[in-house]
Amino acid sequence: PVSTLAELIDASLLIVEHTQEVRYRLLESVRAVGISHLDPSDREATHAALAEWAVRSVAGWREHQDARVSGPTAALRDNTALIDAALTWQIDAERFDDAARLAVNVALIVTDDPSADWLQRLRSLPLRQAPEGEGEASALLAVAAATAAWIAGDAAECNRLVGIARSQLDPGHDLFWCIDFVACLAAVYGDNPDVAQRHAMAVHGHSRAPDFARATTVCAAALANTYSGSRAEADRLMALDTQLLQNVGQSVGFIDFTRAELSAHDDPAGAVVLLERARTKCDAAAHTYNHRIASIAHLGLLIRTHDTDRAADAAIELIADCCHSGMWPQAWIVARLCAELLANRRQH
């Protein structure tokens, strides 16, 4: 009843959240105390019901993620406490199969909108709860942790976990493409474009991989070649499946970002236009990870064109955003660009 909700709000036991819709959330301490007063059987049933809801809901959000819309990231942000509570109970209850499916779907959504808390949470899972040899559950938990390790910049740990997942997951599994997806993205800045390209082609050929993953890894391999000086190979990769890139690029900013990086040296003005378009698409879909990647490239171009005031404002915002999201490699890149900006200011 509305009157009961009002009383709970007045007593500071219930919080009103205005997100995409009005939501009412119990304080975590109140929820914990309430559960502790239940009989053991009722307590178990409550946890199980929450876990069942979490698995079903996150799986649905993950399916919508393939459409590259803002819903999944917003849903995960709005329900972080409940999803985390469900995951914790699943692990404590040794329901590893359900925990693994939940964790890997959360990790895939987190690739669009990272948070330092989720990265830390996901990285702890397999080391603490799923030793090697536990089959599918261990493999999927390793994929989830590898995803978080990649975003946090720990390439060695990412590759170790990818190896565990690959050794334990059936190649015909519907999520096997995730292994090569994460491995490809982790290899972009590793000065080894062949590795990125091999994993990109594996994702591109996997029948269960969504189009956004296939397009993203092709672009990642092109970027790896560009950064290592193999521009001709990068151009060849971008021409492999132009229809795929065109279709995905209508809503995915990473495609425009890649094209901007390929053209930045010869056409910096055109690259700025592409980067602004990429950031607009990322904003529309609430894809904060790719927005920050594009913003870093945009910052670099502002510095190169001596637009120091705009560059300074952008750098201050970016360094804070990257640290808040646990995107430490990108934070270091921004720090390096800040040093370049200071040097340019001193010279001009």
Side-chain angles (χ1 to χ4, degrees), residues 27-95:
L27 293 175
E28 292 304 305
S29 56
V30 175
R31 185 168 62 85
V33 169
I35 290 177
S36 70
H37 283 290
L38 294 173
D39 291 332
S41 60
D42 292 335
R43 192 180 310 158
E44 187 77 4
T46 300
H47 283 301
L50 173 62
E52 182 182 349
W53 168 84
V55 170
R56 184 177 64 253
S57 297
V58 174
W61 302 338
R62 241 298 298 146
E63 289 182 6
H64 284 98
Q65 184 188 28
D66 295 347
R68 314 312 289 155
V69 294
S70 61
T73 57
L76 183 61
R77 281 197 308 270
D78 293 345
N79 294 280
T80 289
L82 292 175
I83 301 302
D84 186 40
L87 187 57
T88 297
W89 178 79
Q90 288 170 331
I91 292 169
D92 290 343
E94 299 186 355
R95 298 192 177 192

Side-chain angles (χ1 to χ4, degrees), residues 2-277:
V2 174
S3 59
T4 302
L5 287 175
E7 290 176 8
L8 291 171
I9 293 169
D10 290 341
S12 299
L13 299 176
L14 200 66
I15 295 174
V16 183
E17 295 181 338
H18 298 278
T19 54
Q20 293 179 321
E21 57 185 12
V22 177
R23 296 165 55 88
Y24 300 93
R25 181 170 62 83
L26 277 173
L27 293 175
E28 292 304 305
S29 56
V30 175
R31 185 168 62 85
V33 169
I35 290 177
S36 70
H37 283 290
L38 294 173
D39 291 332
S41 60
D42 292 335
R43 192 180 310 158
E44 187 77 4
T46 300
H47 283 301
L50 173 62
E52 182 182 349
W53 168 84
V55 170
R56 184 177 64 253
S57 297
V58 174
W61 302 338
R62 241 298 298 146
E63 289 182 6
H64 284 98
Q65 184 188 28
D66 295 347
R68 314 312 289 155
V69 294
S70 61
T73 57
L76 183 61
R77 281 197 308 270
D78 293 345
N79 294 280
T80 289
L82 292 175
I83 301 302
D84 186 40
L87 187 57
T88 297
W89 178 79
Q90 288 170 331
I91 292 169
D92 290 343
E94 299 186 355
R95 298 192 177 192
F96 293 120
D97 289 341
D98 289 339
R101 277 283 177 171
L102 178 58
V104 76
N105 281 327
V106 166
L108 288 169
I109 296 172
V110 166
T111 63
D112 284 334
D113 184 31
S115 74
D117 289 342
W118 267 123
L119 297 184
Q120 181 179 359
R121 182 76 173 96
L122 293 170
R123 292 187 69 180
S124 73
L125 291 175
L127 299 179
R128 186 182 65 183
Q129 296 291 350
E132 296 180 34
E134 289 193 352
E136 179 180 319
S138 179
L140 293 181
L141 286 169
V143 171
T147 303
W150 150 58
I151 295 173
D154 191 343
E157 179 67 358
C158 175
N159 290 333
R160 186 186 76 83
L161 292 165
V162 161
I164 292 174
R166 192 180 300 278
S167 69
Q168 297 185 0
L169 196 62
D170 184 340
H173 193 281
D174 62 338
L175 290 174
F176 193 86
W177 63 269
C178 298
I179 296 174
D180 287 296
F181 177 74
V182 174
C184 174
L185 296 174
V188 170
Y189 301 104
D191 197 27
N192 195 343
D194 292 342
V195 173
Q197 193 162 323
R198 183 174 73 250
H199 291 303
M201 293 303 97
V203 174
H204 193 267
H206 199 290
S207 62
R208 301 300 294 271
D211 281 351
F212 89 86
R214 296 166 64 225
T216 296
T217 48
V218 166
C219 287
L223 288 170
N225 277 280
T226 300
Y227 298 151
S228 66
S230 303
R231 174 61 188 273
E233 183 61 16
D235 289 338
R236 187 190 72 80
L237 287 167
M238 294 298 287
L240 275 179
D241 196 337
T242 55
Q243 190 62 52
L244 172 69
L245 297 186
Q246 180 180 339
N247 291 343
V248 174
Q250 292 178 12
S251 57
V252 175
F254 193 69
I255 315 304
D256 287 324
F257 161 73
T258 303
R259 292 189 172 120
E261 289 285 84
L262 267 62
S263 65
H265 183 271
D266 299 327
D267 182 15
V272 168
V273 173
L274 285 169
L275 289 171
E276 290 174 348
R277 186 189 304 165

